[in-house]
Amino acid sequence: MADLKYIICGKLFNGKDDEFYEGWKILVDGNKIAAVGPELERPESAMVIDLSDSTVTPGMIDAHMHMDFWDWHTIRQEVYETSEEAKTLSCLHTAQKTLARGFTTVRHMGGITSNGFGILDVKRAIDAGHFSGSRIIAASRFICGAGSHGDLSQAFSRNPEMGMIAQKLRKSLGAGPDFMVNAVREEIKYGSDFIKIMATGGFFTPNDNPMQTQLNDEELEAVIRTAHEWGKTVTAHVYSVPHIRKLLQYRIDGMEHCALMDNETADMIADSGTYVVPTFSPYEEAIHYDPEGLKDKQPEFRAKLELYKDSLQQGRKVIKNARNIRLGFGTDFVANHMNYESGYEYKAWFESDMGVFRTLKAATSVNAGIVQMEDRIGTIEPGKLADIAAWRRDFFTDPYAMLDCAFVMKDGVVYNTESDIAKE
Ligand SMILES: [Zn+2]
């Protein structure tokens, strides 16, 4: 017997159009969307789901997450004080929490605490139906060099003996093109969906800075060429303008952050078709300068946000005006908010006047392209997987709208929701 569900929408954003359609209906057949429109007959056998008091959207997608920790307040301890098994469990916990928040697909950008491949076990267990959770697209480990933003043993920089032991735990950390070629092949061998590299320094790590080039030309060329030979995409953690331009020359597929870029570079990115996931949330206290809010940050992170405040503010304007870049929606929560509270990124886009539909498209159809699933998710159209969410609040007026999920369906199955709004 057919498993039909008939969803009555208050408003509907279909993932593509700059419009909320009033009173439309969606017919779900099994795990797929069968039909959508204003005048849709209800088949007699269909179960009715009445969301007439809500805004219905495609299931949201977070394109930049680190799922392998329990609590950002303890993330630095978790790197060294919890087992790989516990880290794997934290990935599952995060996937369950994101699904309950209306994010039906998430992209894991390499382990922060983890050095292993547990995220891929979680992905496979969810895909097989052993656990509920968001669909995961993962790079299990990021590829990086010693002392780089990806080298968490920076924490032991005043204790080289411990630092050297800790550095050895990170098998995807090394130097030279041969190392990089092998690291890419290993990532693919064990099941990573794409490759993530740390190309420049960053904000959160204590002893590097975002202007540093942390992989040289030969290493970058080796990583990108090898991944492409094997049919995988590469995305880079990157800030500085010269390095963004270099990555474009090497035909990188995507870039994360790019928070310090200028208009000319933005035009070059737009021409290349390379996507950017700007991860607004971690810099909010520097963008809308809030010295009190900055006091809650880790000391080194706070110092860098203060130092680069003006450049970050300028960079945000550049990103806002770069209307031709494929701009994805991702959170990168490692130092503010729990990693599953992805709806805070909506608040950040809202407060930078990015536009409601531009933001919603980034979190749905644009991100579906970034995770290379545009033929299956990201829009509400016949034939797509039935990944559907609904929201009580008004996206036009409420920066917290994406933190208050009212309904979530993944692959045609309805799951319980959790709201973060009680905390606000
Ligand atoms: Zn990140």
Side-chain angles (χ1 to χ4, degrees), residues 11-173:
K11 293 179 185 168
L12 172 72
F13 167 68
N14 66 7
K16 295 188 304 184
D17 303 336
D18 287 4
E19 196 162 346
F20 287 120
Y21 296 108
E22 304 246 358
W24 279 36
K25 324 284 190 301
I26 306 168
L27 184 65
V28 172
D29 183 354
N31 71 337
K32 295 242 173 78
I33 294 165
V36 55
E39 311 289 343
L40 208 57
E41 290 266 332
R42 177 170 79 87
E44 214 164 290
S45 66
M47 177 185 142
V48 175
I49 297 173
D50 186 353
L51 300 172
S52 55
D53 61 349
S54 299
T55 299
V56 175
T57 66
M60 296 295 168
I61 304 168
D62 185 337
H64 191 126
M65 290 190 62
H66 302 282
M67 301 172 71
D68 57 325
F69 59 93
W70 295 99
D71 185 336
W72 68 270
H73 300 90
T74 55
I75 186 169
R76 290 188 195 276
Q77 292 97 294
E78 288 181 38
V79 177
Y80 298 109
E81 294 176 7
T82 58
S83 67
E84 275 298 323
E85 290 80 2
K87 291 164 184 173
T88 301
L89 285 173
S90 69
C91 293
L92 177 59
H93 173 256
T94 306
Q96 294 178 334
K97 293 282 187 183
T98 43
L99 179 61
R101 284 159 177 76
F103 284 73
T104 45
T105 301
V106 295
R107 190 170 71 141
H108 176 78
M109 302 300 290
I112 296 282
T113 71
S114 162
N115 301 298
F117 299 94
I119 182 72
L120 300 173
D121 292 316
V122 173
K123 169 194 167 90
R124 289 185 283 254
I126 290 171
D127 285 348
H130 300 313
F131 293 98
S132 65
S134 303
R135 188 179 294 106
I136 296 170
I137 308 297
S140 58
R141 312 176 304 176
F142 35 66
I143 296 172
C144 62
S148 74
H149 183 63
D151 181 358
L152 274 291
S153 73
Q154 275 198 38
F156 297 115
S157 60
R158 293 185 185 180
N159 183 347
E161 288 82 2
M162 274 301 293
M164 284 177 215
I165 293 168
Q167 188 183 311
K168 285 209 179 80
L169 294 173
R170 204 155 274 263
K171 300 281 192 289
S172 60
L173 181 161

Side-chain angles (χ1 to χ4, degrees), residues 123-412:
K123 169 194 167 90
R124 289 185 283 254
I126 290 171
D127 285 348
H130 300 313
F131 293 98
S132 65
S134 303
R135 188 179 294 106
I136 296 170
I137 308 297
S140 58
R141 312 176 304 176
F142 35 66
I143 296 172
C144 62
S148 74
H149 183 63
D151 181 358
L152 274 291
S153 73
Q154 275 198 38
F156 297 115
S157 60
R158 293 185 185 180
N159 183 347
E161 288 82 2
M162 274 301 293
M164 284 177 215
I165 293 168
Q167 188 183 311
K168 285 209 179 80
L169 294 173
R170 204 155 274 263
K171 300 281 192 289
S172 60
L173 181 161
D178 286 351
F179 177 89
M180 298 297 155
V181 166
N182 195 57
V184 169
R185 290 174 181 160
E186 278 189 358
E187 277 303 295
I188 299 169
K189 171 185 174 185
Y190 295 115
S192 287
D193 296 298
F194 66 99
I195 301 298
K196 163 79 184 296
I197 57 174
M198 294 297 187
T200 68
F203 283 83
F204 183 59
T205 32
N207 304 315
D208 65 344
N209 75 64
M211 306 312 282
Q212 286 167 340
T213 294
Q214 296 187 337
L215 290 174
N216 64 31
D217 288 15
E218 291 74 27
E219 292 168 334
L220 287 175
E221 195 274 336
V223 166
I224 297 171
R225 175 171 42 81
T226 308
H228 288 173
E229 284 166 356
W230 285 63
K232 297 290 180 187
T233 62
V234 183
T235 190
H237 160 107
V238 60
Y239 286 99
S240 74
V241 159
H243 217 77
I244 291 172
R245 294 182 179 197
K246 186 172 287 184
L247 289 167
L248 293 175
Q249 278 173 23
Y250 288 123
R251 309 184 74 85
I252 191 105
D253 304 279
M255 295 187 283
E256 313 297 309
H257 317 308
C258 297
L260 304 173
M261 76 174 163
D262 58 22
N263 283 316
E264 204 187 331
T265 310
D267 288 343
M268 291 165 71
I269 297 173
D271 289 344
S272 73
T274 300
Y275 68 78
V276 172
V277 180
T279 69
F280 283 169
S281 305
Y283 323 103
E284 286 306 277
E285 291 84 359
I287 298 288
H288 315 284
Y289 187 52
D290 173 9
E292 280 304 305
L294 281 172
K295 282 189 184 148
D296 295 335
K297 310 272 179 195
Q298 309 251 10
E300 304 91 349
F301 186 34
R302 181 177 69 223
K304 280 191 261 187
L305 288 174
E306 291 275 5
L307 186 64
Y308 289 97
K309 165 170 65 71
D310 297 342
S311 316
L312 286 166
Q313 290 171 2
Q314 186 53 35
R316 179 68 60 90
K317 285 192 197 124
V318 171
I319 292 172
K320 184 186 165 189
N321 294 329
R323 303 223 46 123
N324 295 323
I325 294 183
R326 287 169 67 200
L327 218 53
F329 178 103
T331 49
D332 199 21
F333 288 150
V334 293
N336 61 335
H337 304 303
M338 294 307 178
N339 47 8
Y340 47 79
E341 294 175 329
S342 303
Y344 277 108
E345 186 72 3
Y346 187 81
K347 179 170 183 279
W349 285 54
F350 186 93
E351 288 171 354
S352 282
D353 289 323
M354 294 294 287
V356 168
F357 292 111
R358 190 182 185 196
T359 309
L360 292 176
K361 278 192 269 194
T364 55
S365 53
V366 176
N367 271 0
I370 288 172
V371 301
Q372 299 181 287
M373 290 189 70
E374 60 270 45
D375 53 338
R376 297 169 68 200
I377 61 173
T379 61
I380 294 185
E381 292 178 287
K384 290 280 177 90
L385 293 177
D387 284 9
I388 297 170
W391 314 84
R392 294 180 193 93
R393 293 170 178 247
D394 184 348
F395 283 106
F396 280 123
T397 58
D398 192 335
Y400 297 98
M402 212 184 273
L403 287 157
D404 197 17
C405 181
F407 170 86
V408 66
M409 169 186 280
K410 180 191 150 211
D411 252 338

